[in-house]
Amino acid sequence: LGLSAAQFGFASRIFFAGYILLDIPSNMALYKFGARRWLARIMVSWGIVSLLFTFVQNIPSLYALRILLGIAEAGFFPGAILFLSLWVPARYRSKILALFYLAQPLTTVIGAPLAGLLIKQDGVFGLEGWRFMFLCVSLPAILVGVIAWFYLADSPRQAKWLTPEEAECPSHRQRRRPSPAGSGSPFPAVRSPPLPRGRTVARTAAAPPAAAAEGRGSSRTTPPGGADPAGTAAGSRARTGACGR
């Protein structure tokens, strides 16, 4: 196309105009239609727009396709994170998300040499090398998107190839397993820091006489929060299935 450096840079940056504009609406649609359908739609539409790059003829059409590509891809990253969070228990989620984040540099390491090899294939199907590259990268995305539409399950509960116990496993682990000490967000500790022992004793000593009398007159001691140990243990045993083991 005979692009100058400025035109090439503008074509690269204009992609984010459509991506930023449709990112939040795409996330809302993902919540409404489900991760399976929306991720499949993103892959198919992204593949179709990428395929159109094979036949681009002028610079304005290149700019238009770059905007459409950003619109098609908007919402993919948060959608993939949502999909993984539905399948992976909380205790393993950080590792899985780390592998997902690792995919981006790996695509550069593996994809850049592969793209360079495809660009050198001038004349295949009568196409220039860069057009042939767009053809090769777009068709697999369309194929995978169609497969995902029919075979991907939104959540473990909708997976027909899982037993009922296996389908409930991620949600049970998320409900039952507390966060290990010293992990998780530090903000709860900042909002409600532990009091020194002396201050706790002082507050206890300063309790109103009526409250102390009421405490002495009570015939049954209830743990903080009103929880019944026997009832809590029974509920825990009732909720524990194959995943609890």
Side-chain angles (χ1 to χ4, degrees), residues 140-224:
I142 298 174
L143 179 62
V144 172
V146 172
I147 294 174
W149 179 276
F150 291 102
Y151 292 100
L152 205 63
D154 277 321
S155 65
R157 294 183 179 181
Q158 299 180 5
K160 299 180 180 179
W161 41 272
L162 291 177
T163 63
E165 293 79 10
E166 292 172 337
E168 291 292 332
C169 188
S171 58
H172 272 189
R173 284 179 177 172
Q174 292 176 27
R175 290 197 302 266
R176 293 176 57 251
R177 187 177 298 273
S179 300
S183 65
S185 173
F187 294 106
V190 174
R191 291 194 300 265
S192 182
L195 293 174
R197 181 174 298 179
R199 189 177 302 179
T200 305
V201 173
R203 287 190 177 184
T204 304
E214 182 181 355
R216 289 194 301 268
S218 176
S219 60
R220 181 180 178 183
T221 302
T222 303

Side-chain angles (χ1 to χ4, degrees), residues 4-25:
S4 65
Q7 290 171 333
F8 183 84
F10 182 74
S12 300
R13 293 190 301 269
I14 201 173
F15 162 86
F16 296 100
Y19 189 94
I20 296 173
L21 184 64
L22 270 297
D23 194 28
I24 295 179

Side-chain angles (χ1 to χ4, degrees), residues 21-39:
L21 184 64
L22 270 297
D23 194 28
I24 295 179
S26 180
N27 293 336
M28 297 172 62
L30 184 145
Y31 180 80
K32 179 178 180 179
F33 297 108
R36 173 185 63 88
R37 295 179 179 179
W38 202 247
L39 289 179

Side-chain angles (χ1 to χ4, degrees), residues 41-128:
R41 193 282 306 165
I42 289 175
M43 286 187 286
V44 172
S45 60
W46 185 93
I48 292 175
V49 176
S50 297
L51 183 62
L52 295 177
F53 278 94
T54 307
F55 311 104
V56 67
Q57 298 296 327
N58 51 54
I59 296 176
S61 61
L62 175 66
Y63 292 160
L65 288 178
R66 287 290 295 175
I67 296 175
L68 290 177
L69 190 67
I71 293 174
E73 190 176 336
F76 176 80
F77 192 83
I81 293 178
L82 171 64
F83 184 78
L84 292 175
S85 67
L86 295 175
W87 279 87
V88 181
R91 62 177 302 189
Y92 303 113
R93 197 171 299 157
S94 59
K95 297 179 181 179
I96 298 301
L97 292 180
L99 293 176
F100 178 69
Y101 295 145
L102 186 62
Q104 184 173 1
L106 284 180
T107 54
T108 303
V109 173
I110 300 174
L114 180 60
L117 180 63
L118 293 174
I119 289 176
K120 295 179 181 179
Q121 309 304 313
D122 285 314
V124 180
F125 302 130
L127 299 173
E128 300 173 79

